[in-house]
Amino acid sequence: MIHFVGAGCGAKDLITVRGKEHIENADVIVYAGSLVNKELLTYNVKNAKVYDSAYMTLEEVMSVLLDSEKEGKYIVRLHTGDPSMYGAIKEQMDILSKEGIEYDVTPGVSAAFGAAASLKVEYTLPDVSQTLILTRMSGKTLVPEKESIKSLASHKATMAVYLSASLSKELQRELIEGGYEENTPAAVCVKVSWDDEKIYRCTVGTIEKTTVENGITKTCIYIIGDSIDPTTYDESRLYAADFSTEYRKATK
């Protein structure tokens, strides 16, 4: 059994209880060392053999997983954030399935939600935005044209843009060309939840300047939308006194 585990967005204690238990019990850990907080490895109590996948090819990673499985080891494949977001796990799972090896996936706290906590915002405010778009700029990994930033920006929803720090100029241009006003609130969030986290509040029109002036080149997520700093919004109807639910009748 291979356990894919989401390490969370950075802080050691933002991993799930299940994920922590997998790390504690592991004999073998293959982790994304370029992004995962190495302090998470201190949860292991079995002196696991640790491999840093930042220096490995897919073939090398799978060789470790497959060989360790044959030896009956307890194996953890530790990915940054949530494995389903830019985790490159599909090809790994396909190989395991082909080899008849069982695996499971433990979700993790993705950077978009770590950023929301640090910003102290609600992405889905009534009458402001009820949609959160998780995306990235097209780079070495291409993005389908129908999912370009410019296309998605036309919705003016709340947007979280991953893996795009080196493309801040292009990101800013596409956001504006797509429909966001230049004064739309934005935030450049670096190493979210880590001890050295940096949060820079800005606007869509100053994303490039904020990124360049602060020397940001990686481990960054951009948050865009009026929900970051709303001028006004409607309160949720869920707890309104004149709103009935399955559990509570309206009192007004």
Side-chain angles (χ1 to χ4, degrees):
M1 170 75 79
I2 311 296
H3 302 286
F4 290 93
V5 175
C9 50
K12 178 182 176 182
D13 58 352
L14 280 181
I15 194 169
T16 63
V17 173
R18 183 184 297 177
K20 177 176 177 288
E21 289 175 348
H22 281 316
I23 293 174
E24 289 171 343
N25 293 313
D27 299 309
V28 175
I29 300 173
V30 182
Y31 82 113
S34 59
L35 295 169
V36 170
N37 188 344
K38 293 178 177 60
E39 290 187 8
L40 286 164
L41 301 177
T42 64
Y43 284 132
N44 181 257
V45 296
K46 297 177 67 175
N47 195 29
K49 192 164 186 178
V50 177
Y51 298 84
D52 184 350
S53 62
Y55 300 97
M56 303 167 72
T57 64
L58 173 63
E59 290 75 16
E60 289 170 336
V61 167
M62 296 313 299
S63 177
V64 169
L65 298 183
L66 294 172
D67 290 346
S68 299
E69 169 66 18
K70 291 176 183 177
E71 295 171 3
K73 303 295 186 181
Y74 195 119
I75 308 158
V76 168
R77 177 67 170 109
L78 189 60
H79 282 267
T80 184
D82 181 273
S84 69
M85 285 296 297
Y86 307 116
I89 64 170
K90 174 62 174 169
E91 55 261 43
Q92 298 174 69
M93 295 190 295
D94 283 349
I95 293 171
L96 295 176
S97 294
K98 183 178 179 180
E99 295 292 331
I101 296 174
E102 293 186 0
Y103 57 87
D104 58 22
V105 182
T106 299
V109 179
S110 190
F113 306 110
S118 294
L119 288 165
K120 298 180 174 65
V121 300
E122 180 181 347
Y123 288 144
T124 52
L125 283 174
D127 201 39
V128 176
S129 177
Q130 290 290 289
T131 300
L132 172 62
I133 297 172
L134 307 178
T135 189
R136 61 169 293 169
M137 285 286 289
S138 189
K140 291 181 179 179
T141 299
L142 298 178
V143 173
E145 181 59 33
K146 64 182 179 180
E147 297 178 9
S148 69
I149 295 292
K150 183 177 179 179
S151 174
L152 297 175
S154 65
H155 299 286
K156 297 186 180 180
T158 309
M159 187 182 293
V161 183
Y162 291 71
L163 303 170
S164 302
S166 64
L167 298 167
S168 61
K169 180 178 181 178
E170 294 83 354
L171 171 62
Q172 179 176 309
R173 185 186 68 247
E174 288 200 30
L175 289 169
I176 294 170
E177 290 180 355
Y180 286 105
E181 300 293 334
E182 289 196 29
N183 63 354
T184 301
V188 185
C189 306
V190 184
K191 298 194 76 173
V192 170
S193 83
W194 293 66
D195 290 340
D196 54 347
E197 171 191 87
K198 295 287 188 300
I199 303 292
Y200 303 96
R201 290 178 179 266
C202 59
T203 64
V204 166
T206 59
I207 281 177
E208 180 192 7
K209 178 181 179 182
T210 303
T211 302
V212 173
E213 287 187 349
N214 290 286
I216 301 165
T217 59
K218 61 181 181 178
T219 327
C220 161
I221 185 167
Y222 295 95
I223 308 297
I224 298 105
D226 290 324
S227 61
I228 298 175
D229 187 20
T231 55
T232 184
Y233 65 93
D234 292 337
E235 292 185 357
S236 169
R237 298 292 298 149
L238 181 59
Y239 300 107
D242 62 348
F243 185 76
S244 294
T245 72
E246 179 184 354
Y247 306 97
R248 171 178 54 80
K249 292 188 178 297
T251 58
K252 289 185 180 179

